[in-house]
Amino acid sequence: MKNKNIIDFFKTQSSHLVVPLIMIVLGLFCILMPSSFIGVTVKLIGVLCVVAGVILACTLLATYSPFMMVCAIVLVFMGILCLAIPKQIASLVIKMVGIVISVNAIMRIHDAYVIRGKSDGFKLYMLNDVITLIIGLVLLFIPMDVASIIVIILGVFLLILGVTNLITAYKVYRDGKFVDDGTDVVWEE
């Protein structure tokens, strides 16, 4: 058996490096520039909305249905807004999620209060709902800070997954025979 080293791996198995390297680059982008990542994501959603709206407007269904034409126009308008003011749109969406979470938590606190003498889990329910309310209020009042923290955490996970996938691909190449079936590297029996 030929001695397989890392240089041979990079030369012969470069196609197996694409996904791990993309994950590493994307993870570093999320960690180093979380607000830029949020802006790029909203702009990408904006482009998709504009394209979907234009395609929907050009279909035969839209010509016969005024409702579908209105949906197409709304999609294009939402896409243009996402492209024009991505940070404000991201902040607005996160605030709306915060409002929904807060209202839900308030209703659940009321429900937990109603069962306070009928269930042993009253304190646990209240604790869970108060924590949920606090999370909703945090999302409502400091949305971009929370979003940046979530993006950084996502970036750390992507970086870890990319590095471990890279190491795993090299170890499979080095330690055993493998078959490339076009979808993944699998062990040969």
Side-chain angles (χ1 to χ4, degrees), residues 33 36 38 68 79 101 105 125 141 143 158:
M33 296 181 284
S36 295
I38 294 168
M68 294 307 281
I101 290 173
Y125 294 138
F141 292 113
L158 282 172

Side-chain angles (χ1 to χ4, degrees), residues 9-171:
F9 173 70
F10 283 113
K11 286 180 183 176
T12 61
Q13 302 299 318
S14 59
S15 64
H16 296 276
L17 303 176
V18 173
V19 173
L21 290 177
I22 288 173
M23 292 172 79
I24 290 170
V25 168
L26 193 57
L28 288 172
F29 182 57
C30 289
I31 292 169
L32 299 175
M33 296 181 284
S35 61
S36 295
F37 179 80
I38 294 168
V40 167
T41 303
V42 173
K43 286 181 180 179
L44 181 63
I45 291 169
V47 168
L48 293 174
C49 285
V50 169
V51 169
V54 169
I55 290 173
L56 183 60
C58 293
T59 62
L60 189 59
L61 184 62
T63 57
Y64 291 114
S65 171
F67 176 73
M68 294 307 281
M69 187 56 83
V70 168
C71 288
I73 292 169
V74 168
L75 270 173
V76 170
F77 180 71
M78 286 174 39
I80 291 170
L81 277 178
C82 287
L83 290 170
I85 50 172
K87 303 272 189 209
Q88 292 83 353
I89 296 294
S91 178
L92 178 67
V93 169
I94 295 166
K95 285 180 181 183
M96 289 170 51
V97 170
I99 289 170
V100 169
I101 290 173
S102 298
V103 169
N104 185 20
I106 289 169
M107 291 184 339
R108 290 177 46 101
I109 288 171
H110 175 264
D111 292 343
Y113 184 75
V114 168
I115 65 163
R116 85 177 161 223
K118 301 172 187 158
S119 173
D120 294 337
F122 168 72
K123 290 180 182 176
L124 183 61
Y125 294 138
M126 286 296 284
L127 179 64
N128 182 31
D129 297 333
V130 167
I131 291 172
T132 305
L133 178 62
I134 291 170
I135 291 171
L137 292 174
V138 166
L139 286 173
L140 184 60
F141 292 113
I142 51 171
M144 293 311 285
D145 293 337
V146 173
S148 294
I149 291 170
I150 292 170
V151 168
I152 290 171
I153 292 170
L154 173 71
V156 169
F157 281 120
L158 282 172
L159 187 63
I160 291 170
L161 284 172
V163 169
T164 57
N165 283 342
L166 193 64
I167 292 169
T168 301
Y170 172 69
K171 284 186 176 184

